[in-house]
Amino acid sequence: QYPKGLGRSDDRLLELIEEDKIFAKSLFDAAIPEVVDFIEKKEIKKVLVVGAEGHVCIYQTVRSLLDMGLEVFLVEDAVSSFTEDLKATALSSLGQMGAVLVNTEMVLFDIARDSKDPHFKFISNLVKSLR
């Protein structure tokens, strides 16, 4: 986001992200040169997208990521917009453009893949608390 105009991100997120991986942006599209460079250097092929505003920043970012040839997974219950109608329109449009619409529970169990995964119990309890 644009810290100068909007303030820093939530402290809970900032605790999890290295400072040199945080990029300020004034564009609505988060696929700014620093992010595109990171994606290319790391040879990233698949991206999970969450955030706000679904009908503005998420919409423009997902379009850019799709244009880059990336497989984009849009986590619909982790996207917000000013209204549910704005969000629904953005999700529908982006799904038609090729983004894969998923939800948080799908993503979490996809990460674990197996009940023998060492993180499965944590994920399972997290999902139960979200329900």
Side-chain angles (χ1 to χ4, degrees), residues 2-112:
Y2 185 58
K4 187 175 179 181
L6 299 172
R8 302 258 304 158
S9 293
D10 187 290
D11 286 337
R12 293 170 292 184
L13 292 174
L14 293 173
E15 291 172 5
L16 302 171
I17 304 170
E18 298 171 31
E19 190 67 32
D20 66 339
K21 302 286 188 300
I22 299 172
F23 307 109
K25 69 179 187 72
S26 59
L27 294 171
F28 299 123
D29 186 342
I32 59 175
E34 296 90 343
V35 172
V36 171
D37 185 53
F38 181 83
I39 289 169
E40 290 172 349
K41 281 183 180 173
K42 298 290 185 180
E43 298 181 3
I44 293 170
K45 304 292 182 214
K46 298 178 183 187
V47 180
L48 281 172
V49 177
V50 302
E53 295 275 329
H55 61 292
V56 181
C57 297
I58 299 298
Y59 181 75
Q60 290 185 26
T61 301
V62 169
R63 284 184 18 227
S64 291
L65 297 172
L66 290 169
D67 287 346
M68 292 172 59
L70 298 171
E71 191 170 1
V72 179
F73 295 86
L74 184 55
V75 188
E76 61 184 352
D77 60 339
V79 170
S80 66
S81 285
F82 187 68
T83 69
E84 284 300 313
D85 286 343
L86 291 170
K87 176 182 168 178
T89 300
L91 293 173
S92 174
S93 297
L94 292 168
Q96 291 173 18
M97 290 178 201
V100 179
L101 300 180
V102 295
N103 61 46
T104 301
E105 189 169 331
M106 292 167 70
V107 170
L108 290 172
F109 281 109
D110 198 40
I111 290 169

